[in-house]
Amino acid sequence: MPKESRLDPWGRDQIEDYGQLIRDFGIEPFGPLLARVPRPMRLMARSIIFGHRDYGRVLEAVAARRPFGVISGFMPSGRAHLGAKMVMEEIVWHQKMGGDATVAVADMEAHAVRNISWERCREWGIREYVLSLIALGLEPDRAKVYFQSENRQVQDLAFRLAKEANHSELKAIYGFSGETTLAHMLCPAVQAADILAPPLDEKLGGSRPLVVPVGVDQDPHIRLTRDLAARVSGFDVEERKGHIVVRPRRGDVDLRPGSYVERLNSLRGVKTKNYRSHVEVTGATFPQVEQIIGDHIRAHPELGHYQLVPPASLYHRFMSGLTGGKMSSSIPESHIALSEPPAEAEVKVLKAKTGGRATEREQREKGGEPEKCAVYELMQYNLGDDAWLEDMYKQCRAGTRLCGECKSRAAEQMKAILKDHQERREEAEGRLDEFGLKI
Ligand code: TRP
Ligand code: SF4
């Protein structure tokens, strides 16, 4: 694999070719799943969510009204901007679809990697992220919001997972060097624990499919997490054509094979066949088998194993910066922060890079280039309904719409959205205690 195509969760690179990510990393394209999503969210309908791993399993749970969950996290290392808003909307959407929601405030990561003090982490975590999440519709019922530094269960699981990965592997995935601190190297294990802990929490629903919506730069974490889940699990459960294979990963797991094989056999229409190293199951669904195997593992804590389902993931494209280039929290003109004064955001949109032509005449003749326009992107990610957006696109292409007018309309709408969002943020302050948090 060429070195350029390594994804760096802490890097500043811009992604040029999303299709290449699908080819290089085995990310699945999202398009073919769209028809199976009941009432798809804007980011799905507009192909901003472009890829996934295993999301089909989550959709199955949604369709069958079985429990499922969504988990994601935010590094409190600055102001939350429109990029973070996408993840927030994805979390809220999944909760509205019937899932439970877990949100990690990644203060350990912000402290270790960005050197943000614990006080700042606390303040930004609540002010910038949690308040906006609540403003966007996160409900306390079926939700858990926590700071990594305060979650002992996550820390313990992180330590257990860290036992399964050595330096060579981390170096290959993340490009860690001799300068990388030990705290930084622990972050992938803590993030993996954020993702793998919710199914261990019986209060939130126990074993169930989980989806992690993130920017695609986080895919290395997802791949590692999926691997680690398998490495600490007592059994490999694999779906093959027409049957499911259950294979104990270690000899000691098989001390009481009867209990789970018998339980499988007691399901109507299910047959099992014992082989020396595995059991073949026919007539059962994957979630059924996983449930039974998971129960078996939980019933025997003395074996010291977990049974963790590899998480699904959902990847969205990054919004480009308003000034062109990457949207970055360290370049104020490049982004719109959720807590910034609406009038300032308006000015940023008015100054944004467009896909307009050099002269009005040229634009009327040739039309604009929405593909190269930060304002069009802003509309695509944030504004209007699908028919309206298509209309904007056509008018731009046809040259019947000029950039000045187009920008001021978009700026106006963005200002209104922020104003409304900030009113909701203020109301959210009074609701923090419902999430067990305070400022
Ligand atoms: N590393 C993520 C970021 O930089 C934050 C994060 C922490 C996270 N834990 C997570 C994301 C769990 C998804 C799931 O934004
Ligand atoms: Fe962008 Fe609007 Fe200009 Fe088209 S008309 S290039 S969408 S600002």
Side-chain angles (χ1 to χ4, degrees):
M1 199 182 296
K3 195 169 176 306
E4 305 77 87
S5 70
R6 176 189 275 154
L7 282 165
D8 181 359
W10 299 285
R12 305 194 176 274
D13 328 329
Q14 220 183 330
I15 288 160
E16 304 291 344
D17 181 354
Y18 287 91
Q20 187 177 358
L21 296 181
I22 288 180
R23 291 189 295 277
D24 285 357
F25 297 108
I27 293 172
E28 302 283 331
F30 183 75
L33 284 189
L34 185 61
R36 286 173 53 195
V37 183
R39 288 170 283 126
M41 64 185 299
R42 186 182 62 233
L43 298 174
M44 293 172 172
R46 298 186 184 179
S47 306
I48 293 164
I49 292 175
F50 74 95
H52 73 98
R53 292 187 190 272
D54 259 357
Y55 190 60
R57 283 229 235 148
V58 176
L59 286 179
E60 276 164 27
V62 175
R65 300 186 175 278
R66 279 199 310 269
F68 71 97
V70 56
I71 144 91
S72 197
F74 301 92
M75 206 174 12
S77 59
R79 295 180 103 176
H81 58 58
L82 293 178
K85 178 169 168 265
M86 284 194 265
V87 177
M88 295 180 188
E89 287 171 331
E90 290 171 79
I91 295 171
V92 170
W93 183 84
H94 283 93
Q95 194 193 36
K96 288 209 186 340
M97 294 306 287
D100 61 272
T102 307
V103 177
V105 181
D107 60 342
M108 286 169 76
E109 185 180 1
H111 188 68
V113 182
R114 303 267 191 254
N115 200 24
I116 314 280
S117 73
W118 296 113
E119 292 74 24
R120 276 269 166 189
C121 283
R122 181 85 211 167
E123 188 188 322
W124 278 339
I126 301 271
R127 285 233 154 262
E128 289 295 315
Y129 292 89
V130 179
L131 288 183
S132 277
L133 259 163
I134 301 174
L136 288 168
L138 188 73
E139 287 295 334
D141 189 32
R142 286 182 295 113
K144 175 169 173 174
V145 182
Y146 66 89
F147 284 71
Q148 286 173 333
S149 68
E150 293 170 358
N151 189 327
R152 184 60 201 261
Q153 188 194 30
V154 162
Q155 294 161 19
D156 287 348
L157 181 58
F159 193 78
R160 171 70 187 85
L161 296 170
K163 226 174 129 219
E164 304 292 329
N166 65 26
H167 185 247
S168 309
E169 183 179 15
L170 293 180
K171 196 169 132 192
I173 299 175
Y174 299 104
F176 287 161
S177 73
E179 308 297 305
T180 310
T181 66
L182 187 50
H184 187 158
M185 282 195 268
L186 257 181
C187 290
V190 178
Q191 180 153 345
D194 285 329
I195 296 171
L196 296 174
L200 302 176
D201 193 336
E202 293 299 324
K203 262 188 296 189
L204 270 178
S207 174
R208 60 203 185 279
L210 257 282
V211 57
V212 192
V214 275
V216 69
D217 66 324
Q218 301 287 308
D219 184 56
H221 291 314
I222 302 291
R223 267 178 283 149
L224 178 66
T225 303
R226 289 167 58 89
D227 281 347
L228 293 177
R231 286 179 212 167
V232 298
S233 290
F235 293 84
D236 279 333
V237 183
E238 238 180 278
E239 207 161 6
R240 302 266 173 83
K241 272 223 154 34
H243 63 269
I244 294 168
V245 170
V246 177
R247 188 188 306 274
R249 290 179 64 93
R250 304 147 217 260
D252 58 353
V253 198
D254 223 358
L255 286 177
R256 297 170 192 80
S259 56
Y260 66 86
V261 176
E262 269 160 34
R263 274 198 60 195
L264 285 166
N265 279 326
S266 72
L267 295 176
R268 200 174 346 139
V270 172
K271 286 203 181 68
T272 61
K273 210 163 152 190
N274 286 319
Y275 292 86
R276 204 154 57 87
S277 66
H278 67 276
V279 178
E280 207 178 271
V281 189
T282 40
T285 66
F286 193 71
Q288 276 177 320
V289 176
E290 235 156 26
Q291 182 72 46
I292 287 179
I293 299 296
D295 288 348
H296 174 69
I297 288 282
R298 278 186 291 277
H300 296 291
E302 75 282 6
L303 300 176
H305 300 309
Y306 294 87
Q307 188 62 29
L308 302 175
V309 182
S313 57
L314 214 44
Y315 302 116
H316 54 72
R317 294 169 205 271
F318 292 110
M319 231 182 121
S320 340
L322 294 171
T323 41
K326 195 179 175 185
M327 181 173 285
S328 157
S329 45
S330 52
I331 311 172
E333 317 81 65
S334 79
H335 69 247
I336 293 175
L338 294 174
S339 61
E340 83 179 68
E344 278 175 28
E346 186 181 19
V347 173
K348 286 183 189 175
V349 179
L350 293 175
K351 285 188 184 156
K353 177 180 162 281
T354 72
R357 307 284 179 177
T359 62
E360 184 184 325
R361 188 157 151 225
E362 197 186 339
Q363 184 141 349
R364 292 221 185 269
E365 273 166 19
K366 296 187 185 155
E369 296 179 283
E371 290 81 5
K372 296 183 183 167
C373 176
V375 180
Y376 181 74
E377 219 176 304
L378 188 79
M379 303 194 271
Q380 195 182 19
Y381 281 60
N382 298 285
L383 307 177
D385 61 25
D386 296 346
W388 173 86
L389 186 74
E390 202 187 317
D391 200 35
M392 292 298 111
Y393 184 89
K394 283 192 184 140
Q395 287 185 30
C396 173
R397 284 254 97 144
T400 50
R401 201 174 167 78
L402 294 178
C403 294
E405 183 208 339
C406 185
K407 278 208 264 196
S408 57
R409 290 259 190 104
E412 195 60 41
Q413 287 189 45
M414 208 54 236
K415 188 167 83 171
I417 288 181
L418 277 187
K419 193 164 163 286
D420 175 66
H421 179 67
Q422 290 171 14
E423 281 164 17
R424 289 174 199 266
R425 278 171 50 91
E426 270 176 40
E427 287 165 25
E429 277 187 39
R431 298 189 56 202
L432 281 171
D433 57 334
E434 295 174 42
F435 293 83
L437 297 165
K438 56 178 187 291
I439 289 195

Coordinates of all heavy atoms in Angstrom, one line a residue, residues 354-356 363 373 375-376 379 396 401-403 406, ligand 2:
T354 N -15.7 30.6 -3.6 CA -16.9 30.1 -4.5 C -16.3 29.4 -5.7 O -15.1 29.4 -6.0 CB -17.8 31.2 -4.9 OG1 -17.1 31.9 -5.9 CG2 -18.2 32.1 -3.8
G355 N -17.2 28.8 -6.4 CA -16.9 28.2 -7.7 C -17.3 29.1 -8.9 O -17.6 28.7 -9.9
G356 N -17.3 30.4 -8.6 CA -17.8 31.4 -9.5 C -16.7 31.7 -10.6 O -15.5 31.4 -10.4
Q363 N -19.8 34.0 -16.1 CA -20.6 33.1 -15.3 C -22.0 32.9 -15.9 O -22.5 31.8 -15.9 CB -20.8 33.7 -13.9 CG -21.6 32.7 -13.0 CD -21.1 32.7 -11.6 OE1 -20.0 33.2 -11.3 NE2 -21.8 32.1 -10.7
C373 N -17.0 24.8 -5.0 CA -17.5 25.9 -4.2 C -17.8 25.6 -2.8 O -18.6 24.7 -2.4 CB -18.8 26.4 -4.9 SG -19.6 27.7 -4.0
V375 N -19.3 27.4 -0.7 CA -20.7 27.8 -0.3 C -21.7 26.7 -0.7 O -22.6 26.4 0.1 CB -21.1 29.1 -1.0 CG1 -22.5 29.5 -0.6 CG2 -20.1 30.2 -0.6
Y376 N -21.5 26.1 -1.9 CA -22.3 25.0 -2.2 C -22.2 23.9 -1.2 O -23.2 23.3 -0.8 CB -22.0 24.5 -3.7 CG -22.9 23.4 -4.1 CD1 -24.3 23.7 -4.4 CD2 -22.5 22.1 -4.0 CE1 -25.1 22.6 -4.7 CE2 -23.4 21.0 -4.3 CZ -24.7 21.3 -4.7 OH -25.5 20.3 -4.9
M379 N -24.1 24.5 1.8 CA -25.6 24.2 1.6 C -25.8 22.7 1.6 O -26.8 22.2 2.2 CB -26.0 24.8 0.3 CG -25.8 26.3 0.1 SD -26.6 27.1 -1.2 CE -25.5 26.9 -2.6
C396 N -27.0 27.2 -10.5 CA -25.6 27.6 -10.5 C -24.9 27.1 -11.8 O -24.3 27.9 -12.5 CB -24.8 26.9 -9.3 SG -23.1 27.1 -9.4
R401 N -27.7 32.0 -11.6 CA -27.6 32.4 -10.2 C -26.2 33.0 -10.1 O -25.2 32.3 -10.5 CB -27.7 31.2 -9.3 CG -28.0 31.4 -7.9 CD -28.3 30.1 -7.2 NE -28.3 30.3 -5.8 CZ -29.3 30.8 -5.1 NH1 -30.4 31.1 -5.8 NH2 -29.3 31.1 -3.8
L402 N -26.0 34.1 -9.5 CA -24.7 34.7 -9.3 C -24.2 34.5 -7.9 O -25.0 34.4 -7.0 CB -24.7 36.1 -9.8 CG -24.9 36.3 -11.3 CD1 -25.0 37.8 -11.7 CD2 -23.9 35.6 -12.2
C403 N -22.9 34.5 -7.7 CA -22.4 34.2 -6.4 C -22.7 35.2 -5.3 O -23.0 34.8 -4.2 CB -20.8 34.1 -6.5 SG -20.3 32.7 -7.5
C406 N -26.2 34.4 -4.1 CA -26.2 33.0 -3.6 C -25.6 33.0 -2.2 O -26.1 32.4 -1.3 CB -25.4 32.1 -4.6 SG -25.4 30.4 -4.2
Ligands
SF4_2 FE1 -21.2 28.7 -5.4 FE2 -23.5 29.8 -5.5 FE3 -21.5 30.8 -6.9 FE4 -22.6 28.6 -7.7 S1 -23.6 30.6 -7.6 S2 -20.4 29.0 -7.5 S3 -23.1 27.6 -5.7 S4 -21.7 30.7 -4.6

